[in-house]
Amino acid sequence: MNVLFFLKPKASVAYIYDTNTLRQGLEKMKHYGYTAIPVIDREGRYVGTVTEGDFLWKLMEENAWDIHALGKLNVKDIMHKSHNPPVNINASVQDLLLQAMNQNFVPVVDDIGSFIGIVTRRDIMQYYYKSTQQAKAE
């Protein structure tokens, strides 16, 4: 079994561009009810993940509480490269599981770093739960 078994493709996942304004990023996160969202560049490469906390800390740091200030800052200004490191499409399920232990979703990239989707911790847990239930039944 490989990562593709669990993959939610890019077309069905919300993401933002690193050049989006903070306002655009917050609006998208609010619309989808996300607490973290993948960030890609205009070439489609995964560059990181931003969280609600990243937005909040930047707003506090810049004292940017009005709507106009939110339009002057970009998502790339709040990026932390350490959030949600991706796995390669060829990663093992064990590698995927190790990543999912520390993050709610695992971004998946191809060999050139292009974002192709995510795997959620929930999907992995459901798979293992069903596997254990099936083993008990046998």
Side-chain angles (χ1 to χ4, degrees), residues 18 20-23 26 50-66 69-80 83:
D18 60 351
N20 285 144
T21 65
L22 294 191
R23 180 179 177 183
L26 283 169
V50 292
T51 66
E52 290 175 326
D54 295 330
F55 283 97
L56 179 61
W57 288 114
K58 187 64 175 182
L59 294 174
M60 288 177 62
E61 178 183 298
E62 297 288 326
N63 200 17
W65 297 107
D66 69 69
L70 290 176
K72 294 178 183 171
L73 298 168
N74 291 331
V75 170
K76 63 184 168 192
D77 299 328
I78 64 171
M79 293 294 307
H80 291 281
H83 285 325

Side-chain angles (χ1 to χ4, degrees), residues 7-82:
L7 187 73
K8 289 185 187 294
K10 178 181 177 181
S12 65
V13 175
Y15 56 88
I16 56 178
Y17 292 102
D18 60 351
T19 55
N20 285 144
T21 65
L22 294 191
R23 180 179 177 183
Q24 291 168 322
L26 283 169
E27 286 173 351
K28 194 162 216 180
M29 287 179 71
K30 180 181 178 188
H31 175 78
Y32 287 97
Y34 289 175
T35 58
I37 192 166
V39 181
I40 64 174
D41 64 17
R42 292 292 175 178
E43 287 77 40
R45 291 182 303 262
Y46 176 76
V47 295
T49 296
V50 292
T51 66
E52 290 175 326
D54 295 330
F55 283 97
L56 179 61
W57 288 114
K58 187 64 175 182
L59 294 174
M60 288 177 62
E61 178 183 298
E62 297 288 326
N63 200 17
W65 297 107
D66 69 69
I67 202 84
H68 300 294
L70 290 176
K72 294 178 183 171
L73 298 168
N74 291 331
V75 170
K76 63 184 168 192
D77 299 328
I78 64 171
M79 293 294 307
H80 291 281
K81 299 289 183 194
S82 62

